[in-house]
Amino acid sequence: MISNTAKAHIALLSVNVIYGANYLIAKGLMPNKIGPSALVFIRIAVAGFLFFILKSFQKERVDRKDIGRLALCGLLGVATNQFFSMNGLSLTSPVDAAIIVTAIPIFTVIISYFLLKEALTAPRIVGVLLGASGAVLLIYLGNSALGSGSLIGNIFVGINALAFAFYLVLVKPLMLKYKPITVIGWTFSFGFLYMFPFCIQDLLATDFNSFEISNWISLSYVVIGPTFLAYLLNMFALQFVKPAVSGSYIYVQPAMAMLLVAAMSYYLVDSQYKGDITLEKLLCCGLIVIGVYLISKNKKLQHQKSK
């Protein structure tokens, strides 16, 4: 019999494999088959509808004073996050995008210091500096001839990571107060309202008649996998493991993206991603990994001392 903790780890691994593959699958759709903003519209609309159905089975009232925070979480964690993620990915390399998002735990520590007044000790400061250096350097490399990266695309993905880090800090007290499906249902509802005026035109301009079966399969994956299923698996896992454990699995994403890019470059002679995996990018990834490790390790030490 598999324990709940083991199931949680399997769920987290699945979540980040889904996210890692999504960089390449979503990139394959944009912009030739569908515009990034149109893809954002479909992701938020379909996932939001599915979450609304789930939310209707366990009705829970929300205090009026929390509506503003939920609205802000919808802006940052859904609309801004999805908009800059897809528009950034459409311009840059899947490898660059997957590496940059690993800076989310570092951004979260910085934001927590200013908003929640969490302590910044020496190891944390070193971790933040190393990780931030890796993320900034990788964004800068998008302006060079290293692979298919893009400076603007990398900046957009960086904005996506920063917005999601703000969301994680702001949503934490709501997750403690309400059921996760209630919070996610509300945030996706607000997110849909925010993104509608910016994405509807791109959706209407999409020629769905030109879609082949493979395109529909890819679109279904992007909408159901990383937008809906991943949220559900994450909610399940967080019932049995600490958020720090969940965050450590984020490194599966660039690893998965790199494996897929390497496979495509090996088997496809004309692969557009040839040259995307470079020593410089691996070094940037290493800086981010070391940075988050120092931050996570320091948290564990503080927890042990407080016992």
Side-chain angles (χ1 to χ4, degrees):
M1 191 71 176
I2 302 176
S3 66
N4 285 329
T5 302
K7 290 178 182 177
H9 281 280
I10 293 172
L12 288 172
L13 179 61
S14 301
V15 165
N16 287 280
V17 167
I18 288 171
Y19 278 132
N22 182 59
Y23 292 105
L24 209 62
I25 294 173
K27 178 74 174 180
L29 287 169
M30 303 179 297
N32 295 329
K33 285 296 179 180
I34 187 170
S37 295
L39 189 55
V40 170
F41 187 103
I42 296 173
R43 289 184 70 176
I44 295 178
V46 175
F49 176 71
L50 294 174
F51 284 129
F52 178 80
I53 292 175
L54 290 179
K55 180 174 164 292
S56 65
F57 286 104
Q58 49 178 43
K59 296 179 181 179
E60 184 178 30
R61 293 184 63 85
V62 172
D63 292 341
R64 184 174 296 181
K65 64 179 181 180
D66 292 325
I67 298 296
R69 182 180 286 261
L70 285 165
L72 185 56
C73 287
L75 174 64
L76 296 171
V78 178
T80 304
N81 167 42
Q82 295 282 346
F83 183 84
F84 283 99
S85 173
M86 290 296 96
N87 278 275
L89 179 59
S90 71
L91 297 172
T92 194
S93 153
V95 171
D96 285 28
I99 294 175
I100 292 171
V101 296
T102 60
I104 288 175
I106 295 166
F107 290 147
T108 303
V109 167
I110 298 172
I111 295 166
S112 296
Y113 169 73
F114 287 104
L115 296 186
L116 305 180
K117 308 303 178 183
E118 289 188 1
L120 265 182
T121 58
R124 274 184 139 181
I125 293 173
V126 173
V128 166
L129 290 176
L130 285 176
S133 298
V136 171
L137 182 58
L138 181 63
I139 291 173
Y140 171 76
L141 288 176
N143 201 33
S144 71
L146 297 174
S148 59
S150 154
L151 177 61
I152 297 299
N154 285 356
I155 290 174
F156 278 10
V157 177
I159 294 173
N160 146 56
L162 185 60
F164 197 72
F166 268 106
Y167 163 76
L168 290 176
V169 174
L170 293 170
V171 83
K172 186 176 180 179
L174 294 173
M175 285 293 193
L176 295 174
K177 186 175 181 180
Y178 303 107
K179 295 175 182 177
I181 192 63
T182 300
V183 177
I184 291 175
W186 275 93
T187 54
F188 264 81
S189 296
F190 279 116
F192 178 82
L193 294 177
Y194 291 129
M195 70 82 189
F196 188 92
F198 297 99
C199 300
I200 184 62
Q201 195 62 42
D202 208 14
L203 179 71
L204 295 176
T206 303
D207 181 15
F208 289 103
N209 291 324
S210 68
F211 272 44
E212 299 174 1
I213 294 177
S214 60
N215 301 136
W216 285 111
I217 293 174
S218 295
L219 180 61
S220 299
Y221 178 90
V222 173
V223 173
I224 302 299
T227 321
F228 176 71
L229 185 58
Y231 271 89
L232 291 180
L233 290 173
N234 243 331
M235 285 192 296
F236 167 77
L238 287 173
Q239 296 178 80
F240 306 105
V241 298
K242 295 179 180 179
V245 175
S246 174
S248 67
Y249 273 87
I250 199 169
Y251 299 114
V252 173
Q253 295 184 33
M256 184 67 182
M258 287 182 183
L259 283 173
L260 290 174
V261 166
M264 288 186 67
S265 298
Y266 181 80
Y267 289 106
L268 301 177
V269 176
D270 59 344
S271 172
Q272 61 177 309
Y273 303 120
K274 280 188 180 297
D276 269 356
I277 302 176
T278 64
L279 178 60
E280 290 87 348
K281 291 182 181 182
L282 290 174
L283 289 174
C284 291
C285 188
L287 285 174
I288 297 173
V289 169
I290 294 171
V292 178
Y293 170 75
L294 288 173
I295 293 169
S296 302
K297 182 181 179 183
N298 189 55
K299 283 182 178 178
K300 291 177 183 177
L301 288 173
Q302 285 182 328
H303 180 67
Q304 289 172 357
K305 288 178 183 178
S306 65
K307 287 185 177 180

